[in-house]
Amino acid sequence: VLTVYESGASDYLSSPIEPLSLTSKIRHFVTLSMQKQKVVDLRAEREMILNGAGAGVIKVTPDGNIKYANRQVCELLGSTSQKINGSAFDEWFHSCDDQYSMESCFLMIFTQVKERGEYQQRDLLARPIGGQEFPVEMSFSPVADDPSSPILLIFQNVSERLRLEKRLVYLANFDPITQLANRAYFFDAATRCIARTRRTSTQAALLIIDLDKFRSINDTYGHDTGDEVLQCISGRIKTLVRESDIAARMGGDEFAILVDDLLSETNADLIAEKIIYEIGRPIHYQ
């Protein structure tokens, strides 16, 4: 019997074979086979769900080593599951904050999960092989309520989303033609400037610039040429204002400049004269 088991058998029947015993064992092995197939199907279904989730899924052991990575992880990191599985989490990810960039990224995640609850989120930087780092938004939680249990991490590349958000913020505050601040941003800056001058007893100046006969340029040469003129004027204005000053296009051919921390009104007059002279220089158009 031991020899039979050592050869790989899982059970045996004694001769003569009893029909009832044979039926029972067949039923038992059919059930085992069905359960085994169900496990295989569930594993295949899990892999299909994890690979079709559209996000990277990683399972990391408490010591910081990756135990599982789905197909999206391999694609995002430019590597294979054979190289990723078993490697350290910190080889592939690090903190966005320079203050913590030298610390163990996984240790911060592990501590955060254990101290603050099951579900947490953090922004990190991914280090793909042979590619440029990119930002990821990572959500993570323990697999089980046990300090020794692995942590499941789900992340996605948010480069495009952050780029669009940055673009929307820019469009909300700056004029797309001249790259100067727009009206809304200027009014907000002016409000803060007035409050600051009152608090510190300093002076500020508001300069309004309107281009004479600008409409005739648009009518004669077209709006593209008019835009080039506006860009040229804005470029000249930028060379005359300090980083602390605010230059804005208020709309059409109207500009405004907010000069902060003035020593006297004489300084404002000198700045205005320089701007008038610079803007008044001829614009050579081809």
Side-chain angles (χ1 to χ4, degrees):
V1 174
L2 291 177
T3 303
V4 173
Y5 282 129
E6 289 175 354
S7 300
S10 58
D11 205 345
Y12 69 95
L13 290 171
S14 301
S15 182
I17 298 176
E18 293 290 336
L20 183 61
S21 176
L22 176 61
T23 303
S24 177
K25 288 185 180 294
I26 291 175
R27 186 182 297 112
H28 173 70
F29 282 108
V30 168
T31 301
L32 287 177
S33 178
M34 293 175 63
Q35 291 176 345
K36 183 178 180 181
Q37 184 60 45
K38 187 175 182 179
V39 170
V40 172
D41 292 342
L42 287 174
R43 287 178 178 173
E45 183 180 355
R46 184 200 67 176
E47 288 296 320
M48 182 178 65
I49 293 173
L50 291 176
N51 288 324
V57 180
I58 298 177
K59 184 186 289 186
V60 186
T61 58
D63 58 359
N65 291 324
I66 297 176
K67 187 178 181 180
Y68 169 81
N70 71 345
R71 185 171 62 244
Q72 278 70 25
V73 173
C74 300
E75 293 175 357
L76 289 169
L77 298 181
S79 187
T80 63
S81 59
Q82 289 79 8
K83 292 182 179 180
I84 296 175
N85 291 335
S87 64
F89 178 84
D90 289 338
E91 291 182 21
W92 305 97
F93 301 94
H94 68 99
S95 175
C96 298
D97 193 336
D98 293 337
Q99 182 180 354
Y100 303 104
S101 60
M102 300 304 294
E103 298 184 21
S104 170
C105 185
F106 179 75
L107 181 59
M108 289 191 293
I109 290 176
F110 186 80
T111 303
Q112 187 173 332
V113 168
K114 300 307 177 185
E115 291 181 351
R116 303 182 188 178
E118 291 188 356
Y119 179 83
Q120 297 296 327
Q121 188 169 313
R122 182 180 285 269
D123 294 328
L124 302 174
L125 287 174
R127 297 167 168 165
I129 291 181
Q132 188 176 3
E133 292 182 346
F134 59 87
V136 298
E137 184 180 77
M138 184 170 288
S139 304
F140 42 89
S141 63
V143 175
D145 189 13
D146 184 347
S148 62
S149 68
I151 291 180
L152 190 67
L153 305 102
I154 302 174
F155 73 94
Q156 56 185 340
N157 186 342
V158 293
S159 299
E160 183 63 16
R161 192 194 74 190
L162 294 179
R163 187 190 68 79
L164 291 175
E165 289 178 356
K166 185 177 180 180
R167 178 63 178 168
L168 290 174
V169 171
Y170 181 85
L171 292 175
N173 294 284
F174 292 89
D175 174 53
I177 295 177
T178 63
Q179 313 303 313
L180 297 177
N182 61 16
R183 179 189 293 267
Y185 185 91
F186 186 81
F187 282 153
D188 184 57
T191 302
R192 295 196 305 269
C193 178
I194 292 172
R196 185 166 56 255
T197 55
R198 289 174 176 172
R199 186 175 62 253
T200 59
S201 298
T202 55
Q203 298 185 65
L206 173 61
L207 308 177
I208 301 297
I209 303 169
D210 186 78
L211 304 181
D212 295 336
K213 301 179 181 179
F214 177 74
R215 180 175 295 180
S216 63
I217 296 176
N218 282 333
D219 294 341
T220 305
Y221 299 101
H223 288 277
D224 289 342
T225 301
D227 289 348
E228 290 188 29
V229 171
L230 293 175
Q231 291 167 357
C232 179
I233 297 298
S234 65
R236 294 179 181 183
I237 291 175
K238 291 176 185 177
T239 63
L240 297 173
V241 298
R242 303 166 301 177
E243 290 186 4
S244 58
D245 300 332
I246 302 294
R249 181 190 177 201
M250 305 301 285
D253 60 351
E254 187 177 278
F255 297 83
I257 301 174
L258 186 63
V259 184
D260 201 359
D261 294 328
L262 277 176
L263 297 177
S264 67
E265 294 182 7
T266 305
N267 294 95
D269 293 337
L270 292 174
I271 294 172
E273 290 175 1
K274 289 181 179 179
I275 291 175
I276 291 174
Y277 172 78
E278 189 68 22
I279 292 179
R281 291 191 301 106
I283 297 175
H284 300 284
Y285 176 75
Q286 297 180 349

